[in-house]
Amino acid sequence: MLSQCGSDAELAALLDDVARELGFSYFALLHHSSLSRRRTGLIRIDTYPDGWEEELSARRLIGADPVHLASQRTNTGFVWSELGELVPLGPAQRDVLERSVRFGIGAGFTVPVNVPGEPGGSCSFAVRPGADLPWARLRCAETIGAHGFRAARRIHGYPACSRPPRLSRRQLECLRLVAAGKTDWEISRILGLGVETARQYVKSARRAYDAATRTQLAVHGLRDALISFDEAIPPSG
């Protein structure tokens, strides 16, 4: 039925019914940046208590939400009692958790959604303070959360249809070396090119992406899966 939803309102109503049937009081399906940016197309559907998002914004705690931070550190659903194993819980993170309880949000379970080239997001389910999580139904919630976000992406027009520019073999080699932190001189030595030739390959790759800096070029390459994080930051450091 999730695949048949044609609007945020239909999806919200269905997810609310499913969340309650599973034993949860609330759900929140969103791109994390939707809380701090007014940008068309960002996904944000939730049934959290009134005033909670405004509280985060007023206290400037949006970027400190440990649930959102933890969503960037794992590819499977996690209960909020595991947050300390995924991210450091400093004063700001603990403040978010304490304030959420005051607003009527207790234990929770989050399904991370990270698609290259798109804003990071998640689908969370929570109970009221003092209530137990429906442990036997968490795997079901994980499936619902993943497919719910997929439906939201479809409704909002994701993925974008734009294609990355086509880079030549030399441009791609230079992009990979730029991402690894190499200078034009180092690139020229590694590829057996003149320094000016290497510089021009890097510049032409930047122009292809309309990237103002080498850093932006590397980020574009990561987003479009032309390079991997292991190539940019080798496991050995």
Side-chain angles (χ1 to χ4, degrees):
M1 293 183 66
L2 289 170
S3 62
Q4 298 176 5
C5 292
S7 67
D8 282 355
E10 291 180 8
L11 182 58
L14 182 56
L15 285 175
D16 188 30
D17 288 343
V18 172
R20 293 181 182 280
E21 185 174 340
L22 291 176
F24 295 98
S25 302
Y26 314 109
F27 81 88
L29 185 152
L30 74 165
H31 281 135
H32 301 152
S33 55
S34 68
L35 297 175
S36 57
R37 301 181 193 172
R38 295 185 178 277
R39 196 180 99 190
T40 302
L42 291 177
I43 297 168
R44 181 175 169 185
I45 309 170
D46 72 85
T47 57
Y48 277 168
D50 292 340
W52 171 234
E53 292 163 2
E54 289 74 10
E55 173 76 0
L56 287 179
S57 180
R59 301 287 178 176
R60 298 183 179 179
L61 292 171
I62 290 175
D65 191 325
V67 173
H68 295 175
L69 295 174
S71 294
Q72 302 171 25
R73 297 290 184 267
T74 182
N75 65 328
T76 59
F78 58 89
V79 293
W80 295 354
S81 58
E82 299 174 328
L83 285 171
E85 301 172 16
L86 296 171
V87 294
L89 295 180
Q93 286 71 44
R94 295 186 185 281
D95 192 14
V96 171
L97 295 175
E98 292 170 2
R99 290 182 182 279
S100 68
V101 174
R102 298 176 202 169
F103 272 78
I105 303 172
F109 177 74
T110 293
V111 183
V113 180
N114 298 302
V115 180
E118 297 180 17
S122 62
C123 184
S124 295
F125 300 92
V127 296
R128 291 186 173 84
D132 293 327
L133 283 175
W135 292 94
R137 298 182 175 181
L138 294 188
R139 296 285 73 84
C140 182
E142 186 167 22
T143 300
I144 293 296
H147 284 274
F149 211 103
R150 181 180 181 182
R153 290 176 65 243
R154 174 181 53 77
I155 292 170
H156 284 255
Y158 290 93
C161 295
S162 59
R163 295 177 178 272
R166 185 182 297 274
L167 300 183
S168 70
R169 177 176 61 86
R170 283 300 194 196
Q171 288 173 325
L172 184 55
E173 289 173 338
C174 289
L175 186 158
R176 287 171 173 157
L177 291 170
V178 165
K182 304 301 181 182
T183 65
D184 291 339
W185 182 86
E186 291 173 317
I187 292 173
S188 71
R189 291 299 179 268
I190 293 170
L191 298 181
L193 304 171
V195 176
E196 184 58 30
T197 301
R199 183 177 295 115
Q200 290 306 317
Y201 275 124
V202 172
K203 285 185 176 180
S204 63
R206 283 174 46 195
R207 284 196 299 271
Y209 266 114
D210 195 24
T213 66
R214 297 166 76 92
T215 299
Q216 284 186 353
L217 175 62
V219 171
H220 279 298
L222 287 168
R223 182 196 63 186
D224 291 337
L226 297 177
I227 54 176
S228 67
F229 279 98
D230 282 348
E231 289 176 294
I233 308 175
S236 61

